[in-house]
Amino acid sequence: MKVTLLGTGTPEPYARRASSGYLLDIGDETLQFDCGGGSFGRLLEAGRRPTDLDRLFLSHLHSDHMLDYARLVHAIWDKGGVDLPVFGPAPIRTVSDRLFGSEGALFADLTARTEHAPSKEIWVERGGTLPRAWPAPDITEIAPGFEMPGDGWHLRSVEVPHAQPFLTCMGFRVDTPYASFVYSGDSGPCDALTTLAEGADVLVHMCFNLSQEARGPEWVAGSSGHLEIARTARDAGIRRVVLTHLRPHMDAPGVHQRIVSEMAEVFPGDIVIGEDLMVLEL
Ligand SMILES: [Zn+2]
């Protein structure tokens, strides 16, 4: 199992960190979790092609977890790839229809690409046939508790507290016989995530701010700081925690060292500050 961090940032524009996106390679299959703005470019920088993806899972529909969705689906379609299987909470079907449907945001582009003679010629030269269908991602709307058996892997999900009741928010775990990967999605501390992460090899966890910066209980409830994450990691008994979803000020001199040293007082395992394009072999 190989984890590639495509985007370790937030909605804030920040050259160092794209918004959320993570690749998981298991055998011949590639799963992507979230596709925030900039993650598509990182996919290319990682030497991968959009058509490499076998499935996309969305933790929740905050924009910084799905703004590159249109780019990803369109690029796969343009290359003649198989319509991407997409698993995400409602209203991902509505979002998709409003992007790729006959009256969607891309209707003018898609009309031109499928009806303009030179575009059709290029499509046929690439091996396509006419008439050319529009992009049609294979959507499955999922709810917390969703499970999926794959070829040598098994995915589970739980609800995590973040932006309810406005958004359904999920964390995911993928197990193989050899390794286990957990992604918190965006989450505050909760028993469901701790239980999901039990004994995992790696937990990739959003860390939006230092715990001392929390502005009140509601703030902490939906977005763990580094000390809440350390307690989750300790209670789950995991081997390694990777912090992601980091804001620019958290990269200021000395802050990484402070995060690691304060977390190490609580959690005895490996503590990693994620960076875009970091690869973890499990
Ligand atoms: Zn979020």
Side-chain angles (χ1 to χ4, degrees):
M1 184 187 279
K2 183 172 87 172
V3 181
T4 305
L5 310 181
L6 298 178
T8 58
T10 68
E12 288 175 84
Y14 187 24
R16 174 167 169 172
R17 299 183 185 277
S19 298
S20 295
Y22 310 93
L23 278 190
L24 190 58
D25 287 297
I26 308 170
D28 293 337
E29 283 191 81
T30 303
L31 316 180
Q32 182 165 334
F33 292 85
D34 290 341
C35 53
S39 63
F40 181 87
R42 295 288 194 250
L43 178 75
L44 303 183
E45 286 176 61
R48 307 300 294 272
R49 294 168 303 186
T51 47
D52 288 345
L53 300 183
D54 293 294
R55 291 179 176 83
L56 172 67
F57 295 92
L58 298 168
S59 65
H60 65 300
L61 298 184
H62 262 151
S63 58
D64 57 318
H65 293 253
M66 49 75 77
L67 264 183
D68 274 359
Y69 177 58
R71 183 82 176 93
L72 195 54
V73 168
H74 195 287
I76 292 170
W77 173 77
D78 199 43
K79 287 291 181 190
V82 175
D83 288 320
L84 183 65
V86 177
F87 302 84
I92 185 61
R93 192 181 301 282
T94 302
V95 168
S96 298
D97 288 346
R98 290 180 183 177
L99 286 168
F100 308 111
S102 58
E103 294 177 31
L106 292 167
F107 84 95
D109 170 81
L110 295 173
T111 300
R113 286 184 198 283
T114 55
E115 295 184 17
H116 189 220
S119 294
K120 289 200 283 190
E121 234 171 80
I122 291 169
W123 172 243
V124 170
E125 276 170 21
R126 284 183 190 164
T129 53
L130 298 172
R132 187 179 183 188
W134 284 24
D138 182 6
I139 308 287
T140 303
E141 287 194 338
I142 61 174
F146 171 79
E147 295 197 26
M148 170 176 269
D151 184 11
W153 54 269
H154 188 95
L155 174 139
R156 289 186 278 150
S157 66
V158 296
E159 179 166 25
V160 293
H162 178 52
Q164 287 85 342
F166 305 101
L167 298 173
T168 299
C169 305
M170 286 185 275
F172 295 106
R173 174 175 181 136
V174 178
D175 286 294
T176 72
Y178 314 104
S180 45
F181 160 82
V182 179
Y183 170 44
S184 68
D186 282 358
S187 178
C190 70
D191 290 344
L193 179 62
T194 304
T195 302
L196 184 76
E198 216 162 78
D201 291 299
V202 67
L203 166 63
V204 175
H205 201 306
M206 75 94 81
C207 186
F208 180 66
N209 53 230
L210 301 178
S211 295
Q212 294 87 345
E213 295 170 326
R215 295 180 193 171
E218 195 180 8
W219 190 268
V220 179
S223 297
S224 287
H226 69 303
L227 297 178
E228 289 78 29
I229 296 168
R231 287 191 280 272
T232 297
R234 176 198 63 198
D235 294 348
I238 63 170
R239 283 184 47 215
R240 181 191 296 173
V241 66
V242 178
L243 303 192
T244 185
H245 206 289
L246 301 156
R247 293 168 64 205
H249 77 282
M250 297 169 78
D251 292 324
V255 177
H256 289 191
Q257 291 87 333
R258 175 184 166 187
I259 288 172
V260 172
S261 69
E262 290 183 2
M263 287 182 73
E265 290 175 16
V266 178
F267 171 59
D270 292 343
I271 300 161
V272 176
I273 307 289
E275 296 288 347
D276 287 14
L277 298 177
M278 182 181 277
V279 173
L280 309 161
E281 300 274 0
L282 305 180

mmCIF file of all heavy atoms in Angstrom, residues 63-105:
data_model
loop_
_atom_site.group_PDB
_atom_site.id
_atom_site.type_symbol
_atom_site.label_atom_id
_atom_site.label_comp_id
_atom_site.label_asym_id
_atom_site.label_seq_id
_atom_site.Cartn_x
_atom_site.Cartn_y
_atom_site.Cartn_z
ATOM 1 N N SER A 63 -15.666 22.980 -0.363
ATOM 2 C CA SER A 63 -15.003 23.218 -1.647
ATOM 3 C C SER A 63 -13.540 22.789 -1.655
ATOM 4 O O SER A 63 -13.026 22.332 -2.677
ATOM 5 C CB SER A 63 -15.109 24.706 -2.009
ATOM 6 O OG SER A 63 -14.522 25.483 -0.981
ATOM 7 N N ASP A 64 -12.857 22.929 -0.531
ATOM 8 C CA ASP A 64 -11.433 22.581 -0.534
ATOM 9 C C ASP A 64 -11.201 21.072 -0.563
ATOM 10 O O ASP A 64 -10.055 20.620 -0.526
ATOM 11 C CB ASP A 64 -10.690 23.217 0.649
ATOM 12 C CG ASP A 64 -11.261 22.849 1.992
ATOM 13 O OD1 ASP A 64 -12.496 22.824 2.131
ATOM 14 O OD2 ASP A 64 -10.470 22.578 2.918
ATOM 15 N N HIS A 65 -12.290 20.327 -0.671
ATOM 16 C CA HIS A 65 -12.173 18.871 -0.836
ATOM 17 C C HIS A 65 -12.713 18.411 -2.183
ATOM 18 O O HIS A 65 -12.684 17.217 -2.469
ATOM 19 C CB HIS A 65 -12.887 18.153 0.319
ATOM 20 C CG HIS A 65 -12.208 18.372 1.629
ATOM 21 N ND1 HIS A 65 -11.474 17.402 2.288
ATOM 22 C CD2 HIS A 65 -12.101 19.499 2.393
ATOM 23 C CE1 HIS A 65 -10.961 17.912 3.393
ATOM 24 N NE2 HIS A 65 -11.325 19.184 3.487
ATOM 25 N N MET A 66 -13.225 19.364 -3.011
ATOM 26 C CA MET A 66 -13.798 18.919 -4.289
ATOM 27 C C MET A 66 -13.766 19.944 -5.420
ATOM 28 O O MET A 66 -14.385 19.726 -6.447
ATOM 29 C CB MET A 66 -15.228 18.397 -4.094
ATOM 30 C CG MET A 66 -16.177 19.261 -3.302
ATOM 31 S SD MET A 66 -16.789 20.692 -4.181
ATOM 32 C CE MET A 66 -18.011 19.924 -5.227
ATOM 33 N N LEU A 67 -13.023 21.034 -5.269
ATOM 34 C CA LEU A 67 -13.037 22.033 -6.349
ATOM 35 C C LEU A 67 -12.375 21.540 -7.635
ATOM 36 O O LEU A 67 -12.659 22.055 -8.705
ATOM 37 C CB LEU A 67 -12.377 23.339 -5.888
ATOM 38 C CG LEU A 67 -13.333 24.406 -5.384
ATOM 39 C CD1 LEU A 67 -12.560 25.680 -5.029
ATOM 40 C CD2 LEU A 67 -14.428 24.741 -6.381
ATOM 41 N N ASP A 68 -11.513 20.546 -7.556
ATOM 42 C CA ASP A 68 -10.918 19.988 -8.781
ATOM 43 C C ASP A 68 -11.724 18.805 -9.331
ATOM 44 O O ASP A 68 -11.259 18.102 -10.231
ATOM 45 C CB ASP A 68 -9.460 19.562 -8.544
ATOM 46 C CG ASP A 68 -8.488 20.728 -8.750
ATOM 47 O OD1 ASP A 68 -8.962 21.828 -9.082
ATOM 48 O OD2 ASP A 68 -7.269 20.538 -8.568
ATOM 49 N N TYR A 69 -12.913 18.607 -8.816
ATOM 50 C CA TYR A 69 -13.751 17.498 -9.286
ATOM 51 C C TYR A 69 -14.072 17.658 -10.778
ATOM 52 O O TYR A 69 -13.920 16.701 -11.559
ATOM 53 C CB TYR A 69 -15.035 17.473 -8.453
ATOM 54 C CG TYR A 69 -16.038 16.427 -8.846
ATOM 55 C CD1 TYR A 69 -15.702 15.073 -8.847
ATOM 56 C CD2 TYR A 69 -17.338 16.787 -9.202
ATOM 57 C CE1 TYR A 69 -16.630 14.115 -9.200
ATOM 58 C CE2 TYR A 69 -18.276 15.835 -9.553
ATOM 59 C CZ TYR A 69 -17.920 14.497 -9.550
ATOM 60 O OH TYR A 69 -18.843 13.554 -9.907
ATOM 61 N N ALA A 70 -14.488 18.852 -11.172
ATOM 62 C CA ALA A 70 -14.825 19.083 -12.579
ATOM 63 C C ALA A 70 -13.592 18.849 -13.463
ATOM 64 O O ALA A 70 -13.682 18.227 -14.525
ATOM 65 C CB ALA A 70 -15.359 20.494 -12.782
ATOM 66 N N ARG A 71 -12.456 19.320 -13.021
ATOM 67 C CA ARG A 71 -11.198 19.174 -13.781
ATOM 68 C C ARG A 71 -10.852 17.701 -13.974
ATOM 69 O O ARG A 71 -10.475 17.265 -15.060
ATOM 70 C CB ARG A 71 -10.086 19.897 -13.001
ATOM 71 C CG ARG A 71 -8.737 19.892 -13.680
ATOM 72 C CD ARG A 71 -8.645 20.976 -14.726
ATOM 73 N NE ARG A 71 -7.308 21.032 -15.303
ATOM 74 C CZ ARG A 71 -6.930 20.376 -16.407
ATOM 75 N NH1 ARG A 71 -7.777 19.611 -17.041
ATOM 76 N NH2 ARG A 71 -5.701 20.519 -16.876
ATOM 77 N N LEU A 72 -10.984 16.955 -12.888
ATOM 78 C CA LEU A 72 -10.640 15.533 -12.906
ATOM 79 C C LEU A 72 -11.558 14.758 -13.852
ATOM 80 O O LEU A 72 -11.098 14.011 -14.725
ATOM 81 C CB LEU A 72 -10.773 15.005 -11.475
ATOM 82 C CG LEU A 72 -10.169 13.673 -11.086
ATOM 83 C CD1 LEU A 72 -8.696 13.604 -11.432
ATOM 84 C CD2 LEU A 72 -10.367 13.468 -9.574
ATOM 85 N N VAL A 73 -12.851 14.949 -13.690
ATOM 86 C CA VAL A 73 -13.824 14.218 -14.516
ATOM 87 C C VAL A 73 -13.671 14.622 -15.982
ATOM 88 O O VAL A 73 -13.680 13.776 -16.880
ATOM 89 C CB VAL A 73 -15.260 14.489 -14.010
ATOM 90 C CG1 VAL A 73 -16.290 13.980 -15.014
ATOM 91 C CG2 VAL A 73 -15.458 13.844 -12.641
ATOM 92 N N HIS A 74 -13.496 15.914 -16.234
ATOM 93 C CA HIS A 74 -13.382 16.396 -17.606
ATOM 94 C C HIS A 74 -12.118 15.844 -18.267
ATOM 95 O O HIS A 74 -12.132 15.424 -19.429
ATOM 96 C CB HIS A 74 -13.362 17.928 -17.611
ATOM 97 C CG HIS A 74 -13.596 18.541 -18.962
ATOM 98 N ND1 HIS A 74 -12.645 18.517 -19.953
ATOM 99 C CD2 HIS A 74 -14.679 19.185 -19.482
ATOM 100 C CE1 HIS A 74 -13.129 19.124 -21.037
ATOM 101 N NE2 HIS A 74 -14.362 19.534 -20.780
ATOM 102 N N ALA A 75 -11.011 15.831 -17.503
ATOM 103 C CA ALA A 75 -9.737 15.350 -18.074
ATOM 104 C C ALA A 75 -9.815 13.865 -18.418
ATOM 105 O O ALA A 75 -9.292 13.434 -19.452
ATOM 106 C CB ALA A 75 -8.599 15.607 -17.085
ATOM 107 N N ILE A 76 -10.443 13.084 -17.565
ATOM 108 C CA ILE A 76 -10.588 11.643 -17.840
ATOM 109 C C ILE A 76 -11.443 11.452 -19.091
ATOM 110 O O ILE A 76 -11.126 10.664 -19.978
ATOM 111 C CB ILE A 76 -11.208 10.927 -16.617
ATOM 112 C CG1 ILE A 76 -10.220 10.947 -15.454
ATOM 113 C CG2 ILE A 76 -11.607 9.493 -16.978
ATOM 114 C CD1 ILE A 76 -10.797 10.491 -14.129
ATOM 115 N N TRP A 77 -12.529 12.215 -19.155
ATOM 116 C CA TRP A 77 -13.424 12.142 -20.325
ATOM 117 C C TRP A 77 -12.682 12.534 -21.599
ATOM 118 O O TRP A 77 -12.781 11.851 -22.627
ATOM 119 C CB TRP A 77 -14.616 13.077 -20.075
ATOM 120 C CG TRP A 77 -15.531 13.248 -21.243
ATOM 121 C CD1 TRP A 77 -16.470 12.366 -21.686
ATOM 122 C CD2 TRP A 77 -15.613 14.395 -22.098
ATOM 123 N NE1 TRP A 77 -17.135 12.886 -22.769
ATOM 124 C CE2 TRP A 77 -16.619 14.129 -23.050
ATOM 125 C CE3 TRP A 77 -14.930 15.612 -22.158
ATOM 126 C CZ2 TRP A 77 -16.964 15.043 -24.045
ATOM 127 C CZ3 TRP A 77 -15.268 16.515 -23.148
ATOM 128 C CH2 TRP A 77 -16.271 16.231 -24.078
ATOM 129 N N ASP A 78 -11.909 13.617 -21.519
ATOM 130 C CA ASP A 78 -11.217 14.127 -22.698
ATOM 131 C C ASP A 78 -10.201 13.120 -23.229
ATOM 132 O O ASP A 78 -9.900 13.096 -24.418
ATOM 133 C CB ASP A 78 -10.530 15.453 -22.357
ATOM 134 C CG ASP A 78 -10.205 16.244 -23.612
ATOM 135 O OD1 ASP A 78 -11.071 16.308 -24.508
ATOM 136 O OD2 ASP A 78 -9.082 16.766 -23.705
ATOM 137 N N LYS A 79 -9.655 12.309 -22.320
ATOM 138 C CA LYS A 79 -8.687 11.285 -22.723
ATOM 139 C C LYS A 79 -9.374 9.976 -23.096
ATOM 140 O O LYS A 79 -8.702 8.954 -23.324
ATOM 141 C CB LYS A 79 -7.672 11.040 -21.597
ATOM 142 C CG LYS A 79 -6.668 12.175 -21.449
ATOM 143 C CD LYS A 79 -5.742 12.215 -22.655
ATOM 144 C CE LYS A 79 -4.707 13.314 -22.545
ATOM 145 N NZ LYS A 79 -3.981 13.498 -23.817
ATOM 146 N N GLY A 80 -10.689 10.002 -23.105
ATOM 147 C CA GLY A 80 -11.412 8.789 -23.489
ATOM 148 C C GLY A 80 -11.398 7.714 -22.426
ATOM 149 O O GLY A 80 -11.598 6.533 -22.715
ATOM 150 N N GLY A 81 -11.158 8.120 -21.165
ATOM 151 C CA GLY A 81 -11.118 7.147 -20.069
ATOM 152 C C GLY A 81 -12.503 6.655 -19.680
ATOM 153 O O GLY A 81 -13.525 7.186 -20.118
ATOM 154 N N VAL A 82 -12.496 5.640 -18.845
ATOM 155 C CA VAL A 82 -13.752 5.094 -18.321
ATOM 156 C C VAL A 82 -14.356 6.115 -17.361
ATOM 157 O O VAL A 82 -13.629 6.765 -16.611
ATOM 158 C CB VAL A 82 -13.460 3.767 -17.563
ATOM 159 C CG1 VAL A 82 -14.720 3.223 -16.907
ATOM 160 C CG2 VAL A 82 -12.857 2.760 -18.522
ATOM 161 N N ASP A 83 -15.701 6.283 -17.408
ATOM 162 C CA ASP A 83 -16.341 7.226 -16.493
ATOM 163 C C ASP A 83 -15.971 6.877 -15.051
ATOM 164 O O ASP A 83 -16.103 5.727 -14.623
ATOM 165 C CB ASP A 83 -17.863 7.190 -16.678
ATOM 166 C CG ASP A 83 -18.269 7.837 -18.000
ATOM 167 O OD1 ASP A 83 -17.674 8.866 -18.362
ATOM 168 O OD2 ASP A 83 -19.171 7.300 -18.670
ATOM 169 N N LEU A 84 -15.506 7.870 -14.327
ATOM 170 C CA LEU A 84 -14.945 7.643 -12.992
ATOM 171 C C LEU A 84 -16.031 7.228 -11.986
ATOM 172 O O LEU A 84 -17.014 7.947 -11.813
ATOM 173 C CB LEU A 84 -14.279 8.949 -12.519
ATOM 174 C CG LEU A 84 -13.568 8.907 -11.177
ATOM 175 C CD1 LEU A 84 -12.358 7.975 -11.223
ATOM 176 C CD2 LEU A 84 -13.125 10.316 -10.778
ATOM 177 N N PRO A 85 -15.841 6.092 -11.300
ATOM 178 C CA PRO A 85 -16.740 5.765 -10.199
ATOM 179 C C PRO A 85 -16.480 6.710 -9.022
ATOM 180 O O PRO A 85 -15.342 6.826 -8.553
ATOM 181 C CB PRO A 85 -16.384 4.319 -9.839
ATOM 182 C CG PRO A 85 -15.667 3.785 -11.040
ATOM 183 C CD PRO A 85 -14.930 4.976 -11.602
ATOM 184 N N VAL A 86 -17.520 7.396 -8.583
ATOM 185 C CA VAL A 86 -17.401 8.413 -7.541
ATOM 186 C C VAL A 86 -18.314 8.040 -6.373
ATOM 187 O O VAL A 86 -19.497 7.746 -6.577
ATOM 188 C CB VAL A 86 -17.818 9.799 -8.087
ATOM 189 C CG1 VAL A 86 -17.755 10.854 -6.989
ATOM 190 C CG2 VAL A 86 -16.934 10.191 -9.263
ATOM 191 N N PHE A 87 -17.755 8.068 -5.168
ATOM 192 C CA PHE A 87 -18.505 7.735 -3.970
ATOM 193 C C PHE A 87 -18.420 8.917 -3.015
ATOM 194 O O PHE A 87 -17.338 9.246 -2.530
ATOM 195 C CB PHE A 87 -17.922 6.489 -3.297
ATOM 196 C CG PHE A 87 -17.912 5.282 -4.205
ATOM 197 C CD1 PHE A 87 -16.876 5.099 -5.106
ATOM 198 C CD2 PHE A 87 -18.955 4.374 -4.182
ATOM 199 C CE1 PHE A 87 -16.872 4.004 -5.963
ATOM 200 C CE2 PHE A 87 -18.962 3.279 -5.041
ATOM 201 C CZ PHE A 87 -17.918 3.098 -5.938
ATOM 202 N N GLY A 88 -19.542 9.555 -2.774
ATOM 203 C CA GLY A 88 -19.521 10.715 -1.894
ATOM 204 C C GLY A 88 -20.907 10.987 -1.350
ATOM 205 O O GLY A 88 -21.902 10.465 -1.853
ATOM 206 N N PRO A 89 -20.963 11.819 -0.314
ATOM 207 C CA PRO A 89 -22.260 12.109 0.295
ATOM 208 C C PRO A 89 -23.131 12.983 -0.614
ATOM 209 O O PRO A 89 -22.616 13.720 -1.456
ATOM 210 C CB PRO A 89 -21.884 12.858 1.575
ATOM 211 C CG PRO A 89 -20.543 13.449 1.294
ATOM 212 C CD PRO A 89 -19.842 12.514 0.352
ATOM 213 N N ALA A 90 -24.435 12.873 -0.425
ATOM 214 C CA ALA A 90 -25.349 13.785 -1.110
ATOM 215 C C ALA A 90 -24.980 15.205 -0.698
ATOM 216 O O ALA A 90 -24.517 15.427 0.423
ATOM 217 C CB ALA A 90 -26.792 13.468 -0.703
ATOM 218 N N PRO A 91 -25.126 16.168 -1.610
ATOM 219 C CA PRO A 91 -25.737 16.088 -2.935
ATOM 220 C C PRO A 91 -24.721 15.964 -4.086
ATOM 221 O O PRO A 91 -24.801 16.731 -5.040
ATOM 222 C CB PRO A 91 -26.474 17.424 -3.014
ATOM 223 C CG PRO A 91 -25.541 18.376 -2.286
ATOM 224 C CD PRO A 91 -24.847 17.580 -1.221
ATOM 225 N N ILE A 92 -23.823 14.994 -4.032
ATOM 226 C CA ILE A 92 -22.812 14.886 -5.095
ATOM 227 C C ILE A 92 -23.467 14.598 -6.449
ATOM 228 O O ILE A 92 -22.965 15.025 -7.490
ATOM 229 C CB ILE A 92 -21.723 13.836 -4.732
ATOM 230 C CG1 ILE A 92 -20.608 13.829 -5.781
ATOM 231 C CG2 ILE A 92 -22.308 12.451 -4.550
ATOM 232 C CD1 ILE A 92 -19.861 15.128 -5.930
ATOM 233 N N ARG A 93 -24.611 13.915 -6.448
ATOM 234 C CA ARG A 93 -25.281 13.669 -7.728
ATOM 235 C C ARG A 93 -25.783 14.987 -8.330
ATOM 236 O O ARG A 93 -25.623 15.247 -9.525
ATOM 237 C CB ARG A 93 -26.448 12.691 -7.534
ATOM 238 C CG ARG A 93 -27.012 12.166 -8.855
ATOM 239 C CD ARG A 93 -28.187 11.227 -8.623
ATOM 240 N NE ARG A 93 -27.845 10.074 -7.809
ATOM 241 C CZ ARG A 93 -27.184 9.004 -8.246
ATOM 242 N NH1 ARG A 93 -26.803 8.952 -9.509
ATOM 243 N NH2 ARG A 93 -26.907 7.989 -7.446
ATOM 244 N N THR A 94 -26.367 15.827 -7.483
ATOM 245 C CA THR A 94 -26.842 17.129 -7.951
ATOM 246 C C THR A 94 -25.673 17.986 -8.428
ATOM 247 O O THR A 94 -25.741 18.650 -9.469
ATOM 248 C CB THR A 94 -27.594 17.857 -6.813
ATOM 249 O OG1 THR A 94 -28.664 17.016 -6.393
ATOM 250 C CG2 THR A 94 -28.136 19.192 -7.251
ATOM 251 N N VAL A 95 -24.594 17.971 -7.658
ATOM 252 C CA VAL A 95 -23.397 18.728 -8.051
ATOM 253 C C VAL A 95 -22.929 18.273 -9.437
ATOM 254 O O VAL A 95 -22.629 19.097 -10.315
ATOM 255 C CB VAL A 95 -22.267 18.531 -7.010
ATOM 256 C CG1 VAL A 95 -20.937 19.061 -7.533
ATOM 257 C CG2 VAL A 95 -22.633 19.203 -5.689
ATOM 258 N N SER A 96 -22.897 16.963 -9.644
ATOM 259 C CA SER A 96 -22.435 16.416 -10.930
ATOM 260 C C SER A 96 -23.369 16.826 -12.060
ATOM 261 O O SER A 96 -22.911 17.222 -13.140
ATOM 262 C CB SER A 96 -22.353 14.886 -10.842
ATOM 263 O OG SER A 96 -21.420 14.525 -9.852
ATOM 264 N N ASP A 97 -24.685 16.715 -11.809
ATOM 265 C CA ASP A 97 -25.656 17.111 -12.838
ATOM 266 C C ASP A 97 -25.490 18.582 -13.202
ATOM 267 O O ASP A 97 -25.627 18.963 -14.367
ATOM 268 C CB ASP A 97 -27.093 16.877 -12.346
ATOM 269 C CG ASP A 97 -27.443 15.402 -12.301
ATOM 270 O OD1 ASP A 97 -26.686 14.590 -12.887
ATOM 271 O OD2 ASP A 97 -28.452 15.055 -11.663
ATOM 272 N N ARG A 98 -25.209 19.399 -12.198
ATOM 273 C CA ARG A 98 -25.103 20.842 -12.449
ATOM 274 C C ARG A 98 -23.759 21.232 -13.064
ATOM 275 O O ARG A 98 -23.560 22.374 -13.459
ATOM 276 C CB ARG A 98 -25.391 21.612 -11.158
ATOM 277 C CG ARG A 98 -26.862 21.486 -10.794
ATOM 278 C CD ARG A 98 -27.235 22.219 -9.545
ATOM 279 N NE ARG A 98 -28.633 21.988 -9.223
ATOM 280 C CZ ARG A 98 -29.235 22.462 -8.144
ATOM 281 N NH1 ARG A 98 -28.554 23.200 -7.282
ATOM 282 N NH2 ARG A 98 -30.512 22.204 -7.919
ATOM 283 N N LEU A 99 -22.852 20.284 -13.119
ATOM 284 C CA LEU A 99 -21.605 20.501 -13.869
ATOM 285 C C LEU A 99 -21.707 19.915 -15.270
ATOM 286 O O LEU A 99 -21.419 20.588 -16.259
ATOM 287 C CB LEU A 99 -20.428 19.829 -13.140
ATOM 288 C CG LEU A 99 -19.919 20.504 -11.873
ATOM 289 C CD1 LEU A 99 -18.970 19.576 -11.126
ATOM 290 C CD2 LEU A 99 -19.222 21.815 -12.203
ATOM 291 N N PHE A 100 -22.118 18.652 -15.354
ATOM 292 C CA PHE A 100 -21.988 17.902 -16.605
ATOM 293 C C PHE A 100 -23.318 17.605 -17.290
ATOM 294 O O PHE A 100 -23.343 16.978 -18.335
ATOM 295 C CB PHE A 100 -21.263 16.572 -16.336
ATOM 296 C CG PHE A 100 -19.972 16.738 -15.597
ATOM 297 C CD1 PHE A 100 -19.827 16.289 -14.290
ATOM 298 C CD2 PHE A 100 -18.899 17.380 -16.196
ATOM 299 C CE1 PHE A 100 -18.631 16.455 -13.597
ATOM 300 C CE2 PHE A 100 -17.706 17.552 -15.517
ATOM 301 C CZ PHE A 100 -17.573 17.093 -14.206
ATOM 302 N N GLY A 101 -24.436 18.027 -16.689
ATOM 303 C CA GLY A 101 -25.745 17.779 -17.283
ATOM 304 C C GLY A 101 -26.000 18.697 -18.474
ATOM 305 O O GLY A 101 -25.213 19.612 -18.768
ATOM 306 N N SER A 102 -27.115 18.462 -19.172
ATOM 307 C CA SER A 102 -27.399 19.211 -20.403
ATOM 308 C C SER A 102 -27.566 20.713 -20.131
ATOM 309 O O SER A 102 -27.384 21.519 -21.035
ATOM 310 C CB SER A 102 -28.654 18.653 -21.076
ATOM 311 O OG SER A 102 -29.744 18.738 -20.185
ATOM 312 N N GLU A 103 -27.917 21.086 -18.893
ATOM 313 C CA GLU A 103 -27.990 22.502 -18.548
ATOM 314 C C GLU A 103 -26.957 22.850 -17.478
ATOM 315 O O GLU A 103 -27.116 23.811 -16.723
ATOM 316 C CB GLU A 103 -29.408 22.849 -18.082
ATOM 317 C CG GLU A 103 -30.426 22.709 -19.214
ATOM 318 C CD GLU A 103 -31.852 22.989 -18.757
ATOM 319 O OE1 GLU A 103 -32.050 23.804 -17.852
ATOM 320 O OE2 GLU A 103 -32.744 22.351 -19.322
ATOM 321 N N GLY A 104 -25.913 22.042 -17.387
ATOM 322 C CA GLY A 104 -24.892 22.246 -16.368
ATOM 323 C C GLY A 104 -23.932 23.370 -16.729
ATOM 324 O O GLY A 104 -23.966 23.921 -17.836
ATOM 325 N N ALA A 105 -23.068 23.678 -15.785
ATOM 326 C CA ALA A 105 -22.130 24.790 -15.957
ATOM 327 C C ALA A 105 -21.233 24.602 -17.180
ATOM 328 O O ALA A 105 -20.776 25.582 -17.768
ATOM 329 C CB ALA A 105 -21.266 24.921 -14.701
#
